[in-house]
């Protein structure tokens, strides 16, 4: 019986969260199974450690091998991941990572290379980087690319630094001080612009969930360096006025930066170059397998228009009659004018291999289907839930479906409560309270890799929870999760008195 609740109904799925209690390994009872050296054995013996020899207790738990193995296995079982079930986080693209990609990334020729070894010994890796660059440039229609950025925000930094370098070359860096950013953008967009010294002007969202082009037009003047727009945007919608936005910003000499974190929704379907984009980062760890929740690391190559290509940073791969080379110094860049080096080395090789394996596995026609299936799955969820949950915008949506909290308001239940109840049903909650432009937002991204059966079970579970909301059983939400080892946390206490370091209880 759970405290505070007289009876607990069976969950819809039959799941009961994680039932095993697992203390810290330092708090486990000692079984005497560890390895200790009897004092009699050491009696009279000397060591070569001298004054470095430890005199006090080392403080490690005295556990047997099975105890240790079971401890870490149980911890691993608490780590909900894409291999455990659907991961509906919106704007995060947690999708299946084919094991083939992992196998390719672990081939000796890729996994064992060192960033400091001579490039003449890694021609195969350089060839793969060149091939990946070719695919990404073809898919986006952009002539330039920088592979070295480590993830999306790093890619934004790369893109805006390249734009800054282009403005510097035109003698306009000091006069173009503003960057326009849609208020539905990822939070890293305005942060990146501010980090580089630009003044950020937020552009509001229209009632239909897209950037207000009239408000944008009112802000465009020759003090603007660039506009930053996410497409598809964080409301899960395609920005229909991209070409108009691009034309307006180009007319006054500015640049169009597109946040390409959601490129998986239009890969093989839309070329950003046709929309007038000048720079766009691609999250290989989201769009091309390897979900970043699955261990990472990230990788955020940036593609560039012809206008910005001369300024992209080193290093980059070139090919001549003698094979592949890595251009690492500005003075070796020929007619290009790189703004410098953005990262210590050359990029995330493992991610390059995984992405290339994923791209080649799908092929050109398969990539198109990836986008179509991702959009189809999201619209299937939205269509089957919009009679019991409320949507802030009319569909169709792109690769993620967004709901608001209007269907909860009459029952005094918050979005957070609904998300916590999902844990009892064995689901990792969707992204909540983002984007900020939607009240109590719930952003669901199913990805293209979920089956019809998986989507149906998720949808039926959401419908079941929505029916409980309407029954007025508020406690099932405000006290959730009740089946998890840890119940509802005190968010205020955790924020004001965080315990960030373990200390042994005396």
């Amino acid at each position: 019986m759970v405290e505070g609740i007289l009876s607990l109904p069976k969950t819809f799925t039959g799941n009961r969260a994680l039932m095993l209690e697992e203390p810290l390994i330092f708090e486990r009872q000692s079984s005497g199974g560890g390895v200790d050296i009897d004092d009699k054995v050491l009696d009279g013996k000397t060591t070569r450690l001298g004054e470095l020899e430890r005199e006090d207790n080392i403080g490690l738990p005295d556990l047997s091998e099975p105890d240790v193995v079971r401890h870490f296995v149980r911890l691993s079982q608490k780590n909900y991941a894409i291999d455990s079930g659907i991961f509906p986080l919106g704007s995060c693209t947690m999708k299946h990572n084919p094991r083939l990609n992992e196998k390719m990334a672990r081939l000796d020729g890729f996994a064992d290379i060192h960033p400091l070894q001579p490039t003449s010994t890694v021609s195969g890796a350089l060839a793969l980087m060149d091939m990946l660059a070719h695919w990404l440039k073809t898919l986006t229609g952009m002539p330039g690319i920088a592979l070295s950025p480590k993830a999306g925000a790093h890619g934004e930094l790369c893109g805006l630094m390249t734009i800054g370098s282009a403005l510097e070359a035109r003698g306009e860096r000091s006069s173009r001080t503003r960057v326009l950013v849609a208020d539905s953008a990822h939070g890293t967009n305005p942060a990146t612009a501010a980090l580089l010294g630009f003044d950020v002007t937020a552009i509001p969202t229209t009632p239909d969930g897209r950037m207000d082009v009239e408000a944008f037009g009112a802000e465009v003047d020759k003090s603007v360096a660039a506009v930053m727009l996410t497409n598809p945007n964080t409301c899960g919608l395609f920005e229909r006025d991209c070409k108009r936005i691009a034309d307006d910003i180009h007319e006054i000499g500015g640049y169009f930066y597109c946040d390409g974190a959601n490129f998986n929704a239009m890969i093989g379907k839309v070329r950003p170059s046709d929309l007038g984009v000048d720079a766009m980062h691609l999250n290989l760890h989201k769009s091309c397998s390897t979900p970043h929740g699955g261990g990472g690391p990230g990788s955020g190559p940036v593609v560039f228009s012809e206008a910005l290509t001369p300024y992209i940073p080193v290093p980059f791969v070139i090919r001549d009659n003698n094979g592949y080379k890595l251009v690492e110094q500005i003075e070796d860049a020929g007619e290009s004018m790189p703004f410098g080096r953005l990262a210590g080395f050359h990029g995330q090789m493992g991610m390059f291999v995984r992405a290339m394996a994923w791209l080649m596995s799908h092929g050109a026609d398969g990539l198109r289907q990836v986008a179509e299936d991702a959009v189809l799955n999201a619209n299937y969820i939205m269509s089957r839930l919009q009679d019991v949950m409320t949507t802030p915008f009319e569909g169709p949506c792109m690769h993620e479906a967004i709901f608001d909290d209007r269907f909860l308001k009459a029952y005094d239940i918050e979005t957070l409560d609904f998300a916590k109840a999902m844990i009892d049903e064995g689901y990792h909650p969707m992204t909540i309270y983002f984007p900020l432009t939607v009240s109590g937002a719930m952003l669901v991204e199913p990805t293209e890799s979920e089956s019809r059966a998986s989507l149906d079970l998720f949808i039926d579970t959401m419908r079941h929870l929505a029916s409980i909301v309407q029954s007025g059983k508020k406690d099932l939400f405000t006290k959730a999760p009740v089946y998890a080892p840890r119940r509802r946390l005190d968010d205020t206490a955790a924020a004001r008195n965080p315990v960030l370091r373990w200390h042994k209880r005396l």
Side-chain angles (χ1 to χ4, degrees), residues 175-194:
S175 62
R176 292 186 181 267
T177 58
R178 291 200 299 150
V179 171
L180 310 182
V181 183
D183 66 358
S184 61
H186 290 116
T188 50
N189 285 192
T192 300

Side-chain angles (χ1 to χ4, degrees), residues 420-455:
K420 294 294 186 185
M422 290 175 64
I423 296 176
D424 280 335
E425 295 289 353
Y427 282 103
H428 190 289
M430 69 286 275
T431 295
I432 59 174
Y433 300 116
F434 180 81
L436 301 177
T437 52
V438 174
S439 175
M442 288 172 262
L443 191 58
V444 181
E445 181 172 0
T447 78
E448 85 286 353
S449 55
E450 292 297 335
S451 68
R452 170 73 180 272
S454 174
L455 295 178

Side-chain angles (χ1 to χ4, degrees), residues 35-305:
V35 178
D36 292 315
I37 300 177
D38 196 312
D39 290 341
K40 295 179 180 177
V41 176
L42 297 176
D43 187 31
K45 303 291 190 304
T46 60
T47 73
R48 287 174 288 182
L49 295 175
E51 61 181 11
L52 297 177
E53 185 174 2
R54 179 184 288 275
E55 296 180 354
D56 57 341
N57 192 301
I58 194 170
L60 294 176
D62 187 13
L63 300 171
S64 67
E65 179 177 318
D67 288 336
V68 174
V69 170
R70 288 170 180 168
H71 171 75
F72 285 105
V73 168
R74 284 195 287 265
L75 288 184
S76 72
Q77 291 170 336
K78 297 180 188 301
N79 184 25
Y80 189 89
I82 192 65
D83 288 342
S84 306
I86 185 172
F87 218 116
L89 278 178
S91 208
C92 283
T93 320
M94 301 287 187
K95 62 185 178 184
H96 173 58
N97 180 37
R99 293 299 181 268
L100 171 65
N101 303 352
E102 293 298 318
K103 188 174 182 179
M104 295 299 103
R106 284 165 172 72
L107 291 175
D108 293 345
F110 296 125
D112 292 348
I113 59 177
H114 191 281
L116 293 178
Q117 74 184 82
T119 54
S120 61
T121 64
V122 292
S123 58
L126 296 181
L128 183 137
M129 292 169 67
D130 186 66
M131 184 185 301
L132 176 63
H134 170 74
W135 276 66
L136 297 180
K137 288 190 291 186
T138 301
L139 287 166
T140 57
M142 310 283 267
I145 187 168
L147 287 175
S148 61
K150 307 301 184 185
H154 203 207
E156 293 170 18
L157 186 70
C158 176
L160 286 196
M161 290 181 73
T162 304
I163 289 173
S165 183
L167 293 174
E168 185 75 33
R170 287 163 38 187
E172 299 180 16
R173 178 64 181 87
S174 60
S175 62
R176 292 186 181 267
T177 58
R178 291 200 299 150
V179 171
L180 310 182
V181 183
D183 66 358
S184 61
H186 290 116
T188 50
N189 285 192
T192 300
L195 179 69
L196 293 175
F198 291 107
D199 295 324
V200 176
T201 301
I203 306 299
T205 299
T206 59
D208 73 349
R210 295 171 174 86
M211 190 170 87
D212 187 333
V213 290
E214 300 302 327
F216 163 74
E219 294 290 346
V220 173
D221 59 34
K222 292 195 174 183
S223 69
V224 175
V227 59
M228 301 182 79
L229 180 68
T230 303
N231 196 23
N233 67 24
T234 57
C235 296
L237 301 170
F238 188 80
E239 293 282 356
R240 294 183 294 239
D241 296 308
C242 265
K243 194 67 175 66
R244 175 179 170 183
I245 292 168
D247 290 342
D248 287 353
I249 197 73
H250 289 157
E251 187 175 342
I252 55 95
Y255 295 99
F256 182 6
Y257 187 92
C258 183
D259 183 324
N262 296 329
F263 187 57
N264 61 304
M266 58 185 192
I267 187 169
K269 300 284 289 185
V270 178
R271 297 193 312 170
S273 62
D274 296 333
L275 302 177
V277 171
D278 290 300
M280 184 176 83
H281 70 264
L282 303 166
N283 287 349
L284 299 186
H285 53 283
K286 294 174 66 176
S287 294
C288 304
S289 86
T290 314
H292 46 61
S299 180
V302 186
V303 289
F304 293 97
S305 65

